[in-house]
Amino acid sequence: MTSLTKELVVLDVKPSISMDSQSGIAQLWPKIYGAIVRAKDRKTAAIVMHPASNFMGHYLLEPMAEAGITMLGLNSRYVNNDSQLIMERVLQDLGAGVRYLREQGYEKIILIGNSGGAALASYYQAQAEKFTATHTPAGDPTGLVAEDLPPVDGIVLTAAHPGRSRLFADWLDPSVIDERDAFSANPELDMFNTANGPAYSAEWLTRYRAAQVERNARIEQWARAQLAFIRAMPVPVRDMAFIIYRTAADPRHLDSSLDPNDRPAGSNIWGNPREVNYGANNIGRYTTITAYLSQWAECTKADGPSNLIETTVPVLSIEHTADASVVPAMNLLWKSRQPGRISRHELKGGTHYLAGQPEKVRETIDAILDWVARAV
């Protein structure tokens, strides 16, 4: 049982120009919330943050602090609702957390980019080292300045998605015929049609991936045209909500011989792959045009591997070998951009969330501690 206590952290952040919340108080005086567990040694601190997930209860908080590194589980203003999420605004929120720890006197600060937090950590440090994020992909001014993003001293990638847009592109269901109909499907491109597989042939996969690219491009083209239309109206409209159906259809979810690791066959991290794909909620399902362009579209500026290469700080990559979400090709995207620079640790048998795997959590902590002592 830990003897350390978890404290609530409340930080003021700048308001944005978008209507992030229907609450006037949250919109005009936005605050973000975190949970901090302070180690007895106040030298090194780490932030674990995701663009939209609630990390105030992250599994690393207490055990990492027990091991000697203060932990801040920080939430963005979009916690548990990414329908209007602007990645550039999340950078600002993360910057508030880094500044808070600097003001608390910590000498070294690292970012632990877990899952979707990996691309965020990389984008943040790239901008902290060379600031360019003056506008969003929709062309809106961010209101950010370089001083909003103080740099950190190292990055840990663990179960690391390479970015929301890459995940969206890999998972997008290309069999959708009508974007207004959740159930329309071209049977020849339907990965859930048993006539196609699994196992899936190389020829079919080539057609499938090409059709994913085509659908992805159509959605982005429509979004940009619609944005131009609504902003050119006699009374301009800044943004518009829409739905993207069926965004969880990666053939690797059913065919574990594709990009193999130790994951079980026919698995998706959220359940039955077909149910998840057709379900009421999934990645990018409910969004607005500006949020889509900032986080899910090819034009995003928040791509993880592309941003990591722009950073100079030490990096540790912890790869979970039984991950049903982050497969070997995704890990390779990080490594191929940073040959020789990334320290690697293979977490054999580690699932995406390490649920029910306390020994893997301990191994993760030991790997981070060893890396901090050597490299940071």
Side-chain angles (χ1 to χ4, degrees):
M1 180 69 68
T2 179
S3 60
L4 302 177
T5 58
K6 185 185 291 186
E7 306 167 31
L8 177 67
V9 172
V10 184
L11 303 176
D12 294 311
V13 291
K14 293 178 181 178
S16 68
I17 62 173
S18 62
M19 190 175 180
D20 296 323
S21 171
Q22 294 180 33
S23 165
I25 291 177
Q27 183 69 18
L28 296 172
W29 298 281
K31 296 180 184 297
I32 58 172
Y33 299 87
I36 191 168
V37 185
R38 300 180 193 275
K40 293 178 180 178
D41 180 355
R42 299 294 183 91
K43 182 178 179 181
T44 304
I47 298 176
V48 58
M49 184 180 186
H50 187 280
S53 293
N54 186 342
F55 273 9
M56 289 174 67
H58 196 277
Y59 58 80
L60 288 178
L61 296 188
E62 286 89 350
M64 278 284 288
E66 284 275 356
I69 295 180
T70 289
M71 290 292 296
L72 173 59
L74 190 62
N75 290 342
S76 80
R77 69 188 68 194
Y78 305 103
V79 62
N80 295 333
N81 184 358
D82 59 11
S83 61
Q84 290 185 276
L85 187 149
I86 303 297
M87 287 298 299
E88 290 70 29
R89 195 62 54 211
V90 181
L91 292 184
Q92 176 190 313
D93 294 349
L94 179 49
V98 176
R99 178 175 293 102
Y100 168 79
L101 291 177
R102 292 289 187 207
E103 291 171 350
Q104 294 280 303
Y106 291 97
E107 298 174 23
K108 300 289 185 180
I109 298 174
I110 62 174
L111 301 180
I112 299 179
N114 177 219
S115 188
L120 169 61
S122 302
Y123 188 24
Y124 178 87
Q125 183 61 16
Q127 288 298 314
E129 293 191 27
K130 184 180 179 181
F131 178 72
T132 60
T134 57
H135 291 78
T136 71
D140 297 320
T142 63
L144 291 172
V145 293
E147 291 71 26
D148 291 326
L149 310 176
V152 299
D153 303 291
I155 297 173
V156 175
L157 309 171
T158 176
H161 286 135
R164 305 199 118 198
S165 66
R166 288 187 188 263
L167 199 67
F168 184 87
D170 283 349
W171 288 17
L172 193 64
D173 189 337
S175 71
V176 170
I177 297 171
D178 184 347
E179 295 292 345
R180 299 164 297 180
D181 184 349
F183 298 98
S184 65
N186 176 353
E188 294 182 1
L189 289 172
D190 186 354
M191 66 174 267
F192 303 103
N193 178 359
T194 55
N196 298 322
Y200 302 104
S201 71
E203 185 273 334
W204 184 86
L205 282 168
T206 297
R207 288 193 290 116
Y208 189 90
R209 294 303 189 190
Q212 283 181 306
V213 172
E214 292 172 4
R215 184 186 177 204
N216 203 8
R218 287 196 304 271
I219 294 171
E220 183 170 341
Q221 183 179 26
W222 174 88
R224 288 203 168 276
Q226 196 68 23
L227 186 66
F229 173 76
I230 64 175
R231 291 190 173 183
M233 295 173 69
V235 179
V237 176
R238 186 189 169 278
D239 206 354
M240 186 186 77
F242 69 108
I243 294 175
I244 306 175
Y245 292 114
R246 309 222 301 271
T247 57
D250 189 332
R252 292 174 292 195
H253 293 163
L254 290 182
D255 189 347
S256 58
S257 71
L258 304 173
D259 211 352
N261 61 4
D262 301 327
R263 69 188 185 273
S267 62
N268 178 294
I269 55 171
W270 297 307
N272 179 283
R274 191 181 190 283
E275 290 180 10
V276 172
N277 186 48
Y278 280 88
N281 195 10
N282 203 262
I283 62 169
R285 180 76 83 253
Y286 307 100
T287 189
T288 71
I289 294 173
T290 62
Y292 161 77
L293 293 174
S294 181
Q295 58 184 320
W296 303 116
E298 291 287 337
C299 65
T300 183
K301 300 176 184 177
D303 178 67
S306 298
N307 279 305
L308 189 68
I309 201 171
E310 301 299 325
T311 69
T312 60
V313 295
V315 178
L316 170 65
S317 175
I318 301 175
E319 301 167 11
H320 300 198
T321 70
D323 199 326
S325 179
V326 178
V327 290
M330 296 180 184
N331 290 321
L332 183 60
L333 286 170
W334 295 103
K335 291 181 289 190
S336 64
R337 298 296 183 94
Q338 299 287 292
R341 179 177 160 219
I342 295 181
S343 300
R344 295 182 56 229
H345 181 86
E346 194 173 70
L347 195 66
K348 291 187 179 297
T351 61
H352 188 70
Y353 295 115
L354 303 186
Q357 297 185 297
E359 75 286 356
K360 302 303 177 186
V361 174
R362 183 67 249 178
E363 185 178 339
T364 296
I365 294 167
D366 290 343
I368 294 173
L369 292 175
D370 176 69
W371 170 76
V372 168
R374 289 185 295 103
V376 179

